[in-house]
Amino acid sequence: MGANSSTALGAASESSDGRIPAEHPGVTDLFAVLAYGEISAFYRLAEEAKLSPTLRGKVAVAKMAGNESEHFKTLEQALADRGVDVFDAMAPFVRALDAYHASTDPSTWLESMVKFYVGDGIAADFYTEIAGALAPEVADVVRDVLAETSHSEFVIEEVRTAVAQNRSERDRLALWGRRLLGEAITQAQYVMAQRDELTELVLVATGDLNGIATLFEHMQNSHAERMRVLGLA
Amino acid sequence: MGANSSTALGAASESSDGRIPAEHPGVTDLFAVLAYGEISAFYRLAEEAKLSPTLRGKVAVAKMAGNESEHFKTLEQALADRGVDVFDAMAPFVRALDAYHASTDPSTWLESMVKFYVGDGIAADFYTEIAGALAPEVADVVRDVLAETSHSEFVIEEVRTAVAQNRSERDRLALWGRRLLGEAITQAQYVMAQRDELTELVLVATGDLNGIATLFEHMQNSHAERMRVLGLA
């Protein structure tokens, strides 16, 4: 992290109740990376719906993508409330998120479903942990856009049914899930390295470097649990 | 229309206040064709967003498509309230709506924007006219899913700006708009011819064959007005 930014940010790092105040400049980055995450997930889902063998699958995906669109609007408004244009704010995150999606491009409908469930889960773990350290009005926005939806049930059902009768599919998707976790962590680190304000916010939210290590351990445990739920453990 | 269906439907055609009662079997068809319309528009929009030269365009499209997804959920619930599965109900309309989209596949971003604005408008004119004759609880659903959104402004701005400086683009898009109207009317007639219940509902709603002719005249006038708003008159 640059010396000048840590000086500038130091004063705004904690409010009197120990929460990171809404004015912390890392909050803008946090909303922005989430916003571009929603837009890129929207288009990935819409594209991958072509892999669906049924209209039922396409409808489920249209609903999931519709939720991403709603979440984007929430974040756009939250940024506007801070006087920030969503397009300016998202620009620094386009490359890392596009790279994540390019490196985890599903080639089958089931890979797409696993990516949706597992990728959403990894992101939710990370941001929910951060949200716990944020001023309530900021934490509310983050939790709102990460709220798990009923569509997870559709995904779980699709994957569990498919792998219950097919061991090689199960093994393949288990490897796929591991790769998703690896790529998500790689790209998250890349995002952090690019944005001093966001790094500072994450460090304050998790306590210190040990806190980050603990967070990543939690994320790996949750990931393992999600793989078990999908029948891929 | 088959003789047996007109007999069966006759009794349910009008309630005491002169409105078509919610129990009319054509209402199920009406909700179903609207539902598949939303899903097919969702995927068309998401696909055509690739033609957008800017992230701003992609975000605008994701919001429009998100609205289609919300509207689908409303219609799915309205059908469920009638004890009807949305997938069963949509099945008869898949071919006609897919054919409409296949015959009006935009090759440029501006064609896509014109199609969205003009196609939505044609559909809204038609269904709003029908809604006026329906029981209030049915009319509310129809109007809810047809409500014009603020995204129209984005489309108008995109198209007007582009054609103001480019006469050949304007002429090309004017022809495109005319073709959209023709294809929409062709496919609407095809849908009607397939579904006795829907035909009966439209006939009762418009009064008679003269009423249908008047409705189509209104639609052509509104279409001309929309073309003018887009700078394509």
Side-chain angles (χ1 to χ4, degrees), chain A residues 51-85:
Chain A
L51 300 167
S52 169
T54 61
L55 180 57
R56 210 167 280 272
K58 288 193 177 71
V59 164
V61 170
K63 289 180 186 172
M64 296 172 194
N67 281 346
E68 315 274 10
S69 174
E70 290 300 309
H71 294 158
F72 174 84
K73 287 191 232 170
T74 301
L75 292 159
E76 182 181 37
Q77 186 56 53
L79 284 165
D81 292 345
R82 300 171 71 81
V84 176
D85 175 76

mmCIF file of all heavy atoms in Angstrom, chain A residues 51-85:
data_model
loop_
_atom_site.group_PDB
_atom_site.id
_atom_site.type_symbol
_atom_site.label_atom_id
_atom_site.label_comp_id
_atom_site.label_asym_id
_atom_site.label_seq_id
_atom_site.Cartn_x
_atom_site.Cartn_y
_atom_site.Cartn_z
ATOM 1 N N LEU A 51 -26.591 -23.136 -22.637
ATOM 2 C CA LEU A 51 -26.192 -24.520 -22.367
ATOM 3 C C LEU A 51 -27.340 -25.310 -21.731
ATOM 4 O O LEU A 51 -27.263 -26.531 -21.638
ATOM 5 C CB LEU A 51 -24.972 -24.546 -21.438
ATOM 6 C CG LEU A 51 -23.693 -23.849 -21.941
ATOM 7 C CD1 LEU A 51 -22.683 -23.673 -20.800
ATOM 8 C CD2 LEU A 51 -23.055 -24.665 -23.073
ATOM 9 N N SER A 52 -28.375 -24.610 -21.269
ATOM 10 C CA SER A 52 -29.459 -25.311 -20.576
ATOM 11 C C SER A 52 -30.210 -26.229 -21.526
ATOM 12 O O SER A 52 -30.624 -25.814 -22.611
ATOM 13 C CB SER A 52 -30.442 -24.307 -19.977
ATOM 14 O OG SER A 52 -31.601 -24.993 -19.545
ATOM 15 N N PRO A 53 -30.417 -27.468 -21.103
ATOM 16 C CA PRO A 53 -31.160 -28.392 -21.956
ATOM 17 C C PRO A 53 -32.668 -28.138 -21.933
ATOM 18 O O PRO A 53 -33.389 -28.696 -22.755
ATOM 19 C CB PRO A 53 -30.829 -29.763 -21.363
ATOM 20 C CG PRO A 53 -30.437 -29.502 -19.954
ATOM 21 C CD PRO A 53 -29.897 -28.100 -19.890
ATOM 22 N N THR A 54 -33.150 -27.309 -21.014
ATOM 23 C CA THR A 54 -34.602 -27.138 -20.874
ATOM 24 C C THR A 54 -34.989 -25.660 -20.765
ATOM 25 O O THR A 54 -34.178 -24.819 -20.358
ATOM 26 C CB THR A 54 -35.126 -27.820 -19.585
ATOM 27 O OG1 THR A 54 -34.491 -27.190 -18.461
ATOM 28 C CG2 THR A 54 -34.819 -29.304 -19.572
ATOM 29 N N LEU A 55 -36.256 -25.368 -21.111
ATOM 30 C CA LEU A 55 -36.792 -24.025 -20.900
ATOM 31 C C LEU A 55 -36.837 -23.710 -19.404
ATOM 32 O O LEU A 55 -36.620 -22.579 -18.991
ATOM 33 C CB LEU A 55 -38.196 -23.921 -21.524
ATOM 34 C CG LEU A 55 -38.913 -22.569 -21.390
ATOM 35 C CD1 LEU A 55 -38.082 -21.429 -21.976
ATOM 36 C CD2 LEU A 55 -40.293 -22.607 -22.053
ATOM 37 N N ARG A 56 -37.074 -24.746 -18.600
ATOM 38 C CA ARG A 56 -37.090 -24.568 -17.147
ATOM 39 C C ARG A 56 -35.759 -24.001 -16.647
ATOM 40 O O ARG A 56 -35.714 -23.106 -15.802
ATOM 41 C CB ARG A 56 -37.377 -25.921 -16.466
ATOM 42 C CG ARG A 56 -38.101 -25.849 -15.160
ATOM 43 C CD ARG A 56 -38.606 -27.241 -14.756
ATOM 44 N NE ARG A 56 -39.823 -27.615 -15.443
ATOM 45 C CZ ARG A 56 -41.053 -27.321 -14.991
ATOM 46 N NH1 ARG A 56 -41.207 -26.676 -13.845
ATOM 47 N NH2 ARG A 56 -42.114 -27.679 -15.669
ATOM 48 N N GLY A 57 -34.655 -24.535 -17.199
ATOM 49 C CA GLY A 57 -33.324 -24.029 -16.830
ATOM 50 C C GLY A 57 -33.139 -22.585 -17.268
ATOM 51 O O GLY A 57 -32.600 -21.770 -16.524
ATOM 52 N N LYS A 58 -33.596 -22.289 -18.471
ATOM 53 C CA LYS A 58 -33.455 -20.910 -18.984
ATOM 54 C C LYS A 58 -34.245 -19.919 -18.131
ATOM 55 O O LYS A 58 -33.800 -18.806 -17.884
ATOM 56 C CB LYS A 58 -33.934 -20.836 -20.437
ATOM 57 C CG LYS A 58 -32.986 -21.500 -21.418
ATOM 58 C CD LYS A 58 -33.324 -21.129 -22.857
ATOM 59 C CE LYS A 58 -32.335 -21.737 -23.842
ATOM 60 N NZ LYS A 58 -32.469 -23.208 -23.977
ATOM 61 N N VAL A 59 -35.442 -20.352 -17.703
ATOM 62 C CA VAL A 59 -36.255 -19.474 -16.857
ATOM 63 C C VAL A 59 -35.575 -19.264 -15.503
ATOM 64 O O VAL A 59 -35.514 -18.131 -14.991
ATOM 65 C CB VAL A 59 -37.676 -20.056 -16.688
ATOM 66 C CG1 VAL A 59 -38.412 -19.395 -15.530
ATOM 67 C CG2 VAL A 59 -38.467 -19.887 -17.988
ATOM 68 N N ALA A 60 -35.027 -20.339 -14.933
ATOM 69 C CA ALA A 60 -34.327 -20.207 -13.639
ATOM 70 C C ALA A 60 -33.165 -19.231 -13.767
ATOM 71 O O ALA A 60 -32.945 -18.383 -12.899
ATOM 72 C CB ALA A 60 -33.835 -21.579 -13.162
ATOM 73 N N VAL A 61 -32.417 -19.330 -14.867
ATOM 74 C CA VAL A 61 -31.270 -18.453 -15.071
ATOM 75 C C VAL A 61 -31.730 -17.000 -15.283
ATOM 76 O O VAL A 61 -31.118 -16.068 -14.759
ATOM 77 C CB VAL A 61 -30.418 -18.933 -16.261
ATOM 78 C CG1 VAL A 61 -29.378 -17.887 -16.628
ATOM 79 C CG2 VAL A 61 -29.732 -20.244 -15.920
ATOM 80 N N ALA A 62 -32.812 -16.808 -16.030
ATOM 81 C CA ALA A 62 -33.321 -15.448 -16.240
ATOM 82 C C ALA A 62 -33.699 -14.799 -14.905
ATOM 83 O O ALA A 62 -33.501 -13.593 -14.704
ATOM 84 C CB ALA A 62 -34.529 -15.455 -17.183
ATOM 85 N N LYS A 63 -34.215 -15.603 -13.971
ATOM 86 C CA LYS A 63 -34.546 -15.060 -12.650
ATOM 87 C C LYS A 63 -33.293 -14.693 -11.863
ATOM 88 O O LYS A 63 -33.230 -13.663 -11.200
ATOM 89 C CB LYS A 63 -35.368 -16.068 -11.852
ATOM 90 C CG LYS A 63 -36.778 -16.241 -12.366
ATOM 91 C CD LYS A 63 -37.483 -17.258 -11.494
ATOM 92 C CE LYS A 63 -38.849 -17.609 -12.028
ATOM 93 N NZ LYS A 63 -39.434 -18.741 -11.269
ATOM 94 N N MET A 64 -32.291 -15.588 -11.923
ATOM 95 C CA MET A 64 -31.028 -15.299 -11.221
ATOM 96 C C MET A 64 -30.402 -14.028 -11.791
ATOM 97 O O MET A 64 -29.966 -13.147 -11.059
ATOM 98 C CB MET A 64 -30.026 -16.433 -11.438
ATOM 99 C CG MET A 64 -30.423 -17.768 -10.859
ATOM 100 S SD MET A 64 -29.215 -19.032 -11.427
ATOM 101 C CE MET A 64 -30.057 -20.530 -11.027
ATOM 102 N N ALA A 65 -30.362 -13.948 -13.120
ATOM 103 C CA ALA A 65 -29.757 -12.782 -13.768
ATOM 104 C C ALA A 65 -30.566 -11.525 -13.454
ATOM 105 O O ALA A 65 -29.996 -10.451 -13.247
ATOM 106 C CB ALA A 65 -29.662 -13.005 -15.278
ATOM 107 N N GLY A 66 -31.894 -11.672 -13.387
ATOM 108 C CA GLY A 66 -32.741 -10.543 -13.012
ATOM 109 C C GLY A 66 -32.396 -10.022 -11.626
ATOM 110 O O GLY A 66 -32.368 -8.811 -11.383
ATOM 111 N N ASN A 67 -32.081 -10.934 -10.706
ATOM 112 C CA ASN A 67 -31.656 -10.509 -9.368
ATOM 113 C C ASN A 67 -30.355 -9.714 -9.427
ATOM 114 O O ASN A 67 -30.183 -8.734 -8.710
ATOM 115 C CB ASN A 67 -31.441 -11.724 -8.460
ATOM 116 C CG ASN A 67 -32.751 -12.268 -7.919
ATOM 117 O OD1 ASN A 67 -33.779 -11.611 -7.996
ATOM 118 N ND2 ASN A 67 -32.697 -13.465 -7.375
ATOM 119 N N GLU A 68 -29.427 -10.173 -10.272
ATOM 120 C CA GLU A 68 -28.147 -9.438 -10.384
ATOM 121 C C GLU A 68 -28.421 -8.015 -10.868
ATOM 122 O O GLU A 68 -27.807 -7.063 -10.400
ATOM 123 C CB GLU A 68 -27.187 -10.125 -11.375
ATOM 124 C CG GLU A 68 -27.066 -11.629 -11.263
ATOM 125 C CD GLU A 68 -26.039 -12.099 -10.245
ATOM 126 O OE1 GLU A 68 -25.539 -11.264 -9.468
ATOM 127 O OE2 GLU A 68 -25.735 -13.304 -10.222
ATOM 128 N N SER A 69 -29.356 -7.891 -11.798
ATOM 129 C CA SER A 69 -29.711 -6.583 -12.330
ATOM 130 C C SER A 69 -30.295 -5.687 -11.223
ATOM 131 O O SER A 69 -29.955 -4.508 -11.102
ATOM 132 C CB SER A 69 -30.690 -6.771 -13.482
ATOM 133 O OG SER A 69 -31.157 -5.555 -13.940
ATOM 134 N N GLU A 70 -31.174 -6.253 -10.387
ATOM 135 C CA GLU A 70 -31.743 -5.499 -9.257
ATOM 136 C C GLU A 70 -30.638 -5.058 -8.289
ATOM 137 O O GLU A 70 -30.640 -3.929 -7.799
ATOM 138 C CB GLU A 70 -32.764 -6.357 -8.501
ATOM 139 C CG GLU A 70 -34.046 -6.630 -9.261
ATOM 140 C CD GLU A 70 -34.794 -5.358 -9.634
ATOM 141 O OE1 GLU A 70 -35.028 -4.516 -8.748
ATOM 142 O OE2 GLU A 70 -35.110 -5.191 -10.828
ATOM 143 N N HIS A 71 -29.716 -5.964 -8.024
ATOM 144 C CA HIS A 71 -28.617 -5.639 -7.096
ATOM 145 C C HIS A 71 -27.746 -4.526 -7.658
ATOM 146 O O HIS A 71 -27.276 -3.660 -6.929
ATOM 147 C CB HIS A 71 -27.763 -6.879 -6.827
ATOM 148 C CG HIS A 71 -28.486 -7.951 -6.084
ATOM 149 N ND1 HIS A 71 -28.101 -9.270 -6.105
ATOM 150 C CD2 HIS A 71 -29.582 -7.893 -5.290
ATOM 151 C CE1 HIS A 71 -28.934 -9.976 -5.362
ATOM 152 N NE2 HIS A 71 -29.840 -9.169 -4.870
ATOM 153 N N PHE A 72 -27.523 -4.592 -8.973
ATOM 154 C CA PHE A 72 -26.736 -3.521 -9.594
ATOM 155 C C PHE A 72 -27.389 -2.167 -9.325
ATOM 156 O O PHE A 72 -26.717 -1.196 -8.970
ATOM 157 C CB PHE A 72 -26.587 -3.740 -11.102
ATOM 158 C CG PHE A 72 -25.900 -2.580 -11.768
ATOM 159 C CD1 PHE A 72 -24.517 -2.503 -11.789
ATOM 160 C CD2 PHE A 72 -26.634 -1.549 -12.327
ATOM 161 C CE1 PHE A 72 -23.874 -1.413 -12.360
ATOM 162 C CE2 PHE A 72 -26.000 -0.457 -12.899
ATOM 163 C CZ PHE A 72 -24.624 -0.387 -12.921
ATOM 164 N N LYS A 73 -28.710 -2.104 -9.491
ATOM 165 C CA LYS A 73 -29.405 -0.829 -9.296
ATOM 166 C C LYS A 73 -29.220 -0.311 -7.864
ATOM 167 O O LYS A 73 -29.053 0.887 -7.647
ATOM 168 C CB LYS A 73 -30.905 -0.990 -9.595
ATOM 169 C CG LYS A 73 -31.215 -1.141 -11.077
ATOM 170 C CD LYS A 73 -32.726 -1.025 -11.305
ATOM 171 C CE LYS A 73 -33.262 -2.184 -12.098
ATOM 172 N NZ LYS A 73 -34.719 -2.259 -12.148
ATOM 173 N N THR A 74 -29.279 -1.238 -6.901
ATOM 174 C CA THR A 74 -29.060 -0.858 -5.496
ATOM 175 C C THR A 74 -27.681 -0.231 -5.317
ATOM 176 O O THR A 74 -27.524 0.795 -4.650
ATOM 177 C CB THR A 74 -29.179 -2.119 -4.597
ATOM 178 O OG1 THR A 74 -30.480 -2.687 -4.778
ATOM 179 C CG2 THR A 74 -28.952 -1.793 -3.140
ATOM 180 N N LEU A 75 -26.671 -0.852 -5.934
ATOM 181 C CA LEU A 75 -25.296 -0.358 -5.781
ATOM 182 C C LEU A 75 -25.090 0.951 -6.527
ATOM 183 O O LEU A 75 -24.395 1.850 -6.048
ATOM 184 C CB LEU A 75 -24.313 -1.428 -6.270
ATOM 185 C CG LEU A 75 -24.278 -2.675 -5.384
ATOM 186 C CD1 LEU A 75 -23.725 -3.873 -6.148
ATOM 187 C CD2 LEU A 75 -23.460 -2.407 -4.123
ATOM 188 N N GLU A 76 -25.701 1.068 -7.699
ATOM 189 C CA GLU A 76 -25.613 2.314 -8.464
ATOM 190 C C GLU A 76 -26.192 3.464 -7.631
ATOM 191 O O GLU A 76 -25.610 4.552 -7.573
ATOM 192 C CB GLU A 76 -26.402 2.163 -9.772
ATOM 193 C CG GLU A 76 -26.347 3.375 -10.675
ATOM 194 C CD GLU A 76 -27.167 3.170 -11.948
ATOM 195 O OE1 GLU A 76 -28.239 2.542 -11.879
ATOM 196 O OE2 GLU A 76 -26.708 3.611 -13.024
ATOM 197 N N GLN A 77 -27.317 3.192 -6.968
ATOM 198 C CA GLN A 77 -27.939 4.222 -6.131
ATOM 199 C C GLN A 77 -27.064 4.543 -4.924
ATOM 200 O O GLN A 77 -26.893 5.714 -4.562
ATOM 201 C CB GLN A 77 -29.323 3.739 -5.677
ATOM 202 C CG GLN A 77 -30.131 4.778 -4.913
ATOM 203 C CD GLN A 77 -30.317 6.068 -5.708
ATOM 204 O OE1 GLN A 77 -30.771 6.043 -6.844
ATOM 205 N NE2 GLN A 77 -29.904 7.213 -5.137
ATOM 206 N N ALA A 78 -26.490 3.512 -4.309
ATOM 207 C CA ALA A 78 -25.625 3.725 -3.134
ATOM 208 C C ALA A 78 -24.409 4.557 -3.517
ATOM 209 O O ALA A 78 -23.951 5.412 -2.744
ATOM 210 C CB ALA A 78 -25.196 2.376 -2.545
ATOM 211 N N LEU A 79 -23.871 4.343 -4.705
ATOM 212 C CA LEU A 79 -22.736 5.150 -5.182
ATOM 213 C C LEU A 79 -23.201 6.572 -5.495
ATOM 214 O O LEU A 79 -22.514 7.547 -5.152
ATOM 215 C CB LEU A 79 -22.101 4.501 -6.416
ATOM 216 C CG LEU A 79 -21.225 3.281 -6.110
ATOM 217 C CD1 LEU A 79 -20.937 2.475 -7.372
ATOM 218 C CD2 LEU A 79 -19.906 3.704 -5.443
ATOM 219 N N ALA A 80 -24.370 6.702 -6.130
ATOM 220 C CA ALA A 80 -24.903 8.039 -6.432
ATOM 221 C C ALA A 80 -25.098 8.831 -5.141
ATOM 222 O O ALA A 80 -24.812 10.024 -5.081
ATOM 223 C CB ALA A 80 -26.215 7.926 -7.211
ATOM 224 N N ASP A 81 -25.546 8.146 -4.073
ATOM 225 C CA ASP A 81 -25.726 8.810 -2.776
ATOM 226 C C ASP A 81 -24.392 9.339 -2.231
ATOM 227 O O ASP A 81 -24.369 10.240 -1.401
ATOM 228 C CB ASP A 81 -26.347 7.841 -1.757
ATOM 229 C CG ASP A 81 -27.784 7.484 -2.113
ATOM 230 O OD1 ASP A 81 -28.379 8.181 -2.965
ATOM 231 O OD2 ASP A 81 -28.297 6.496 -1.551
ATOM 232 N N ARG A 82 -23.291 8.720 -2.684
ATOM 233 C CA ARG A 82 -21.952 9.185 -2.281
ATOM 234 C C ARG A 82 -21.401 10.194 -3.298
ATOM 235 O O ARG A 82 -20.223 10.561 -3.207
ATOM 236 C CB ARG A 82 -20.991 7.995 -2.188
ATOM 237 C CG ARG A 82 -21.400 6.937 -1.181
ATOM 238 C CD ARG A 82 -20.536 5.685 -1.286
ATOM 239 N NE ARG A 82 -19.175 5.871 -0.812
ATOM 240 C CZ ARG A 82 -18.804 5.831 0.440
ATOM 241 N NH1 ARG A 82 -19.708 5.637 1.382
ATOM 242 N NH2 ARG A 82 -17.542 5.995 0.783
ATOM 243 N N GLY A 83 -22.217 10.560 -4.280
ATOM 244 C CA GLY A 83 -21.758 11.504 -5.294
ATOM 245 C C GLY A 83 -20.810 10.897 -6.307
ATOM 246 O O GLY A 83 -20.021 11.592 -6.938
ATOM 247 N N VAL A 84 -20.880 9.562 -6.472
ATOM 248 C CA VAL A 84 -19.945 8.871 -7.349
ATOM 249 C C VAL A 84 -20.693 8.265 -8.543
ATOM 250 O O VAL A 84 -21.744 7.641 -8.369
ATOM 251 C CB VAL A 84 -19.211 7.742 -6.582
ATOM 252 C CG1 VAL A 84 -18.302 6.944 -7.508
ATOM 253 C CG2 VAL A 84 -18.420 8.323 -5.412
ATOM 254 N N ASP A 85 -20.145 8.444 -9.741
ATOM 255 C CA ASP A 85 -20.708 7.830 -10.942
ATOM 256 C C ASP A 85 -20.293 6.357 -10.996
ATOM 257 O O ASP A 85 -19.105 6.031 -10.858
ATOM 258 C CB ASP A 85 -20.195 8.555 -12.190
ATOM 259 C CG ASP A 85 -20.666 7.881 -13.468
ATOM 260 O OD1 ASP A 85 -21.850 8.048 -13.816
ATOM 261 O OD2 ASP A 85 -19.862 7.168 -14.102
#
